[in-house]
Amino acid sequence: MKLPRSIAGWTIAVFGVLALVMGAVGLLWPEAQLRMLGFEVPATRAVGDHTGTFLLASSMAAFNMGVYYLLATVTEWRAFYRFTVVFRLVTFTVFTIAVLADIAPDRFFGVAAWEGLGAVATAVGLRLDARRGIPNGGIASSEGAGTAAVAEEGTGPAGAPPADAVH
């Protein structure tokens, strides 16, 4: 895999790797995942308790999300970076409310904090990249900081709108 070419790309790559790893942990060792999140792991589950099924589904989603984030990093898909800032802030808000409303254990706030800090880090990275001259739809040059090659129209993941059409 190519290394990220921008500050924002690094923030997306870190989140992608962690989502991929945590998804794999949830798939391979679900009890460890539950313990990390502060949930109890009873010796046996009651009839009708679908915690394992839900954990399987959410772990597979996290694994896939990690792959998506890494794909965005490799292609330097900056519109995706901006999109994640907004929705990670929404996730931070929802998870924080879940903890405050006693829907989730207190340790689950760590997940909320991770989402919020990740969103802020990506937003700061996007701002710093813009100051370095990397256009919002552009691709960071490997030639060095302060230079950028403008992305050709239509580049990015298949089916994505042209880079200059996303605001």
Side-chain angles (χ1 to χ4, degrees):
M1 181 175 128
K2 294 180 189 177
L3 291 177
R5 298 178 302 259
S6 66
I7 297 167
W10 275 104
T11 70
I12 296 294
V14 167
F15 184 77
V17 167
L18 288 172
L20 189 77
V21 168
M22 294 308 290
V25 167
L27 291 169
L28 300 172
W29 195 12
E31 296 82 13
Q33 181 87 352
L34 289 171
R35 283 188 194 99
M36 280 189 288
L37 294 172
F39 294 107
E40 291 182 30
V41 181
T44 59
R45 295 272 177 197
V47 175
D49 180 351
H50 298 287
T51 302
T53 304
F54 184 77
L55 186 59
L56 173 74
S58 61
S59 294
M60 193 68 237
F63 186 89
N64 287 341
M65 186 172 58
V67 172
Y68 303 152
Y69 272 65
L70 292 174
L71 176 62
T73 300
V74 169
T75 61
E76 193 70 22
W77 190 18
R78 299 183 67 74
F80 180 83
Y81 298 178
R82 290 188 306 275
F83 177 84
T84 68
V85 169
V86 173
F87 283 93
R88 289 183 77 189
L89 289 173
V90 169
T91 303
F92 163 77
T93 303
V94 170
F95 287 0
T96 299
I97 290 169
V99 172
L100 295 174
D102 287 328
I103 296 169
D106 290 345
R107 283 196 2 205
F108 197 71
F109 182 71
V111 179
W114 171 251
E115 291 289 345
L117 291 172
V120 170
T122 299
V124 168
L126 286 165
R127 171 90 31 141
L128 293 173
D129 289 343
R131 287 185 182 162
R132 286 179 34 211
I134 300 171
N136 277 337
I139 297 174
S141 171
S142 60
E143 303 288 319
T147 62
V150 176
E152 294 178 28
E153 188 171 320
T155 60
D164 58 349
V166 180
H167 298 282

